[in-house]
Amino acid sequence: MRIRLKRRRFGQIMISGTVVAVLGNLTSKTWAQTSPRSQSAPNQAPEVVDVTLRVNGTERNLKIDARVTLLDALRDRIGLTGTKKGCDRGQCGACTVLVNGQRINSCLSLAIMYDDTEITTVEGLARGNELHPVQAAFIKHDGFQCGYCTPGQVCSAVGAIAEAKAGTASSVTADVRKQGQVELTAMEISERMSGNICRCGAYPGIVAAVQEVSQANS
């Protein structure tokens, strides 16, 4: 079917389209000029700071950009690549490390926040040739498949076991008023380890490994 337009109507359409395009261009330019990001100097040098990280019992003196995450400092500046970069948004848990014994997502943490702080990565859990009990249990129960998430899973499990031993309740703890160690049932472990994602699906082995170590420490 042929569509016929009168010359006047065609001219109106073309003019209105031109006006919209011009207005859109002006609006984008105005936004770019008033945007806070555009007002910053494009070639401004990053702020370099001195940081001392105590990683796995060793002091590491670094000069880094103040915006560097703990994850990038560990991997790229120190060379401890056991800590993995997964989603880089704090959702997968592959970057989990222990800071003063507590587990954190290192991809969401700036390195300068942990100046002169005890940091433990997966490389620091073993004692020489002797594996950490959680590492040994993961091997025994095949708590990994591709293994990419395993460093974060292991560090998170160490932290979760310590939290339960200290009596820290979770959202599925039956009696939060009860004093003393929280029993790590399969439900407790699933809840406490829910921040660590295994895309291969090795969850049964992970739960079994955490449960075995927890019971041995009770």
Side-chain angles (χ1 to χ4, degrees):
M1 181 177 67
R2 303 176 94 184
I3 299 176
R4 295 183 179 179
L5 291 175
K6 292 183 178 180
R7 183 179 297 176
R8 179 178 297 178
R9 179 58 180 155
F10 178 79
Q12 290 173 344
I13 293 173
M14 293 300 294
I15 291 172
S16 63
T18 303
V19 171
V20 170
V22 171
L23 288 176
N25 190 34
L26 289 174
T27 303
S28 63
K29 286 182 178 179
T30 303
W31 168 253
Q33 292 170 357
T34 58
S35 172
R37 182 177 295 179
S38 68
Q39 293 174 1
S40 61
N43 298 320
Q44 185 176 359
E47 181 184 357
V48 177
V49 295
D50 293 315
V51 178
T52 299
L53 301 178
R54 294 206 303 271
V55 185
N56 301 330
T58 302
E59 283 195 358
R60 307 280 188 161
N61 298 311
L62 306 175
K63 285 185 177 294
I64 57 174
D65 185 331
R67 300 166 296 181
V68 169
T69 64
L70 179 58
L71 172 61
D72 288 337
L74 291 172
R75 289 181 56 85
D76 302 334
R77 273 64 171 187
I78 300 177
L80 296 173
T81 55
T83 305
K84 296 295 186 270
K85 178 176 285 193
C87 66
D88 214 20
R89 291 174 172 80
Q91 296 176 349
C92 72
C95 68
T96 304
V97 298
L98 301 170
V99 174
N100 290 334
Q102 296 184 332
R103 48 192 175 148
I104 67 164
N105 290 323
S106 59
C107 74
L108 296 182
S109 308
L110 295 177
I112 59 175
M113 297 167 59
Y114 301 103
D115 185 43
D116 200 29
T117 303
E118 292 291 344
I119 300 166
T120 303
T121 68
V122 69
E123 292 94 339
L125 292 176
R127 293 293 177 262
N129 293 326
E130 183 182 353
L131 293 176
H132 187 282
V134 172
Q135 292 174 310
F138 265 65
I139 294 173
K140 176 182 176 181
H141 294 280
D142 194 19
F144 50 85
Q145 289 182 27
C146 81
Y148 191 85
C149 73
T150 303
Q153 295 275 7
V154 169
C155 286
S156 187
V158 172
I161 291 170
E163 291 164 10
K165 190 171 184 178
T168 305
S170 76
S171 62
V172 299
T173 302
D175 186 358
V176 297
R177 295 169 297 182
K178 183 181 178 181
Q179 300 296 314
Q181 182 172 351
V182 178
E183 180 185 0
L184 284 184
T185 62
M187 183 179 293
E188 280 281 358
I189 295 169
S190 298
E191 169 61 25
R192 292 171 188 266
M193 296 288 292
S194 60
N196 294 79
I197 298 173
C198 175
R199 289 171 175 82
C200 299
Y203 295 115
I206 293 171
V207 171
V210 175
Q211 202 160 29
E212 179 179 293
V213 177
S214 173
Q215 290 172 353
N217 290 340
S218 61

